[in-house]
Amino acid sequence: MVTAAPPLPRAVSVRHLGPNWYACVMGTAIVATAGAGLPVPRPLCAAVWALSALLLATLLAARALHWAHHRDQARAHLLDPATAPFYGCLAMALLAVGGGALTVGRDWIGVEAAVALDAVLFTAGTVVGLAAAVAVPYLMAVRHRVEARQATPVWLLPLVAPMVSAALGPSLVPYLPAGQARETLLQACLAMFGLSLLATLLMLPLVFARLVTSGPLPLALTPTLFLVLGPLGQSTTAAGTFADHAPGVVPAPYSQGFAVLAVLYGVPVMGFALLWLGLATAHVVRARREGMRFAMTWWAFTFPVGTCVTGAESLARHTGLTVYDGLAAALYAVLVTAWLTATACTARGLLTGALLAAPRRPMPPAGSGAASSTAPVVTGALPPPGPRPARPAPRPETARTRSGAGR
């Protein structure tokens, strides 16, 4: 007697695997590339890059299973304002692994293979990033029906992806034919720099206004405050890579102008990044005291901090100031600590099954427009030790305030 084959266990296990998981790849790859500019052993950096490449291949296969077997859930992710922005992580994961191949992976796979791999991943990541930068804000406007109080730094993710392309693309310039091809790529990266920067300047005030007027973010979302460091550190890194590769590619005086931009733009932006780092750290300490447990949002402590490391390394090269070397080393220590913590907690959550379990709050139907701003992010959070105390209800309106007395 022939019985029906049981469903694929892998297909079942990936039902709640969202695009936010690509943050693991980004956070791992940046440990390798940021360490390359510091006195970190090259073989160790290459090994971490190889791990990020393995993670990327695994996640791409798992997400393919997700789309093949759980298309309803995949559509719900696209139509959820808290999950759709994470499609920017797919682009940045491709770009981060590609850039790492040319930076440290070349030690293991050779220069030719590294250039080929970087070219493929850079092209794919740039296309996906530009598509996400247009599609996600469009969906937020016409399908998601978001409110100002729902604004979180997660909204920045699809807008930062082109900045990652801008920072990593110039590394491919020397491998193109001299002349038009090299200058076109460098100018395209500069255009993506402006695209991402101006879009971030439009979105960031919404995030800051929500934080000031509506109070702290929910505990599980508090680590996402570190995402603001991404466009700051990455744009500083991009300005430095423009200056590194412009001589001989663009005519004077523009090539010298890139060197000026690297310093006059990078120094004040890095100053603001340090200000935001202090603010975000204070919020995280507060949330931790109130019972914040591990969730996949903890990976926000890795890649954004890593971009500040590479930004500080760029400023050290172009200013010659040792203070930026010290800043890069200090931030790299924070990055490695955050990466080790997030990796250990993620491995524990996978072994227990908590990170791939169904969300604690049900996903709304696709296209309903009633998605919660926290449900998908809470998905994959390790269970808290107990219920959180309810916030006190606001004081009822009195007759005195209704009548306007006392004005």
Side-chain angles (χ1 to χ4, degrees):
M1 179 178 179
V2 180
T3 58
L8 292 173
R10 287 180 65 190
V12 173
S13 66
V14 299
R15 175 167 177 78
H16 301 289
L17 183 74
N20 58 324
W21 278 79
Y22 287 111
C24 303
V25 180
M26 298 160 52
T28 303
I30 199 69
V31 172
T33 53
L38 295 169
V40 179
R42 293 273 303 185
L44 181 59
C45 292
V48 175
W49 170 81
L51 175 60
S52 70
L54 178 62
L55 288 174
L56 176 62
T58 302
L59 275 174
L60 288 174
R63 288 286 296 167
L65 282 174
H66 182 271
W67 274 94
H69 296 276
H70 306 291
R71 195 161 298 177
D72 61 324
Q73 191 78 352
R75 280 182 50 80
H77 285 166
L78 275 174
L79 297 177
D80 192 307
T83 308
F86 282 102
Y87 275 91
C89 291
L90 167 59
M92 290 185 279
L94 295 169
L95 293 164
V97 174
L102 203 54
T103 304
V104 294
R106 61 193 298 171
D107 296 347
W108 283 18
I109 64 177
V111 176
E112 291 186 3
V115 171
L117 179 60
D118 189 17
V120 171
L121 293 181
F122 173 78
T123 302
T126 299
V127 171
V128 173
L130 292 174
V134 174
V136 174
Y138 173 80
L139 288 174
M140 292 176 68
V142 303
R143 298 296 298 274
H144 291 166
R145 299 294 187 269
V146 295
E147 300 178 5
R149 61 182 178 83
Q150 293 176 300
T152 71
V154 173
W155 289 7
L156 295 171
L157 286 173
L159 306 178
V160 179
M163 186 65 78
V164 180
S165 294
L168 297 178
S171 298
L172 286 169
V173 167
Y175 301 98
L176 293 176
Q180 288 282 327
R182 292 185 180 182
E183 187 171 358
T184 298
L185 178 57
L186 193 62
Q187 296 282 8
C189 292
L190 181 61
M192 288 187 286
F193 173 91
L195 179 160
S196 180
L197 178 63
L198 295 177
T200 298
L201 292 177
L202 289 175
M203 190 69 74
L204 187 56
L206 298 178
V207 176
F208 187 69
R210 179 257 176 264
L211 194 66
V212 173
T213 60
S214 300
L217 295 174
L219 296 185
L221 286 172
T222 302
T224 63
L225 289 172
F226 276 71
L227 295 177
V228 176
L229 297 176
L232 303 176
Q234 200 66 273
S235 61
T236 302
T237 304
T241 56
F242 295 155
D244 293 337
H245 295 89
V249 175
V250 297
Y254 302 112
S255 57
Q256 292 84 1
F258 280 114
V260 174
L261 176 68
V263 176
L264 295 187
Y265 173 85
V267 172
V269 170
M270 183 57 66
F272 180 69
L274 293 177
L275 170 66
W276 192 273
L277 177 62
L279 176 65
T281 301
H283 276 266
V284 168
V285 170
R286 171 193 169 277
R288 188 64 174 166
R289 288 176 177 173
E290 291 196 0
M292 180 184 73
R293 306 287 289 178
F294 174 76
M296 288 300 292
T297 51
W298 281 34
W299 282 96
F301 298 139
T302 56
F303 188 81
V305 175
T307 66
C308 292
V309 175
T310 56
E313 292 171 353
S314 170
L315 291 176
R317 291 195 309 271
H318 292 99
T319 64
L321 296 177
T322 57
V323 65
Y324 289 114
D325 290 317
L327 176 61
L331 290 174
Y332 190 73
V334 174
L335 168 63
V336 172
T337 302
W339 179 74
L340 290 173
T341 302
T343 300
C345 292
T346 301
R348 179 169 65 91
L350 285 173
L351 291 175
T352 61
L355 290 182
L356 291 177
R360 294 199 297 269
R361 184 176 299 176
M363 183 77 70
S368 65
S372 166
S373 63
T374 60
V377 180
V378 176
T379 302
L382 297 185
R388 291 175 52 197
R391 282 190 173 186
R395 291 185 301 174
E397 187 180 34
T398 63
R400 178 180 178 85
T401 58
R402 284 196 302 268
S403 63
R407 290 183 293 177

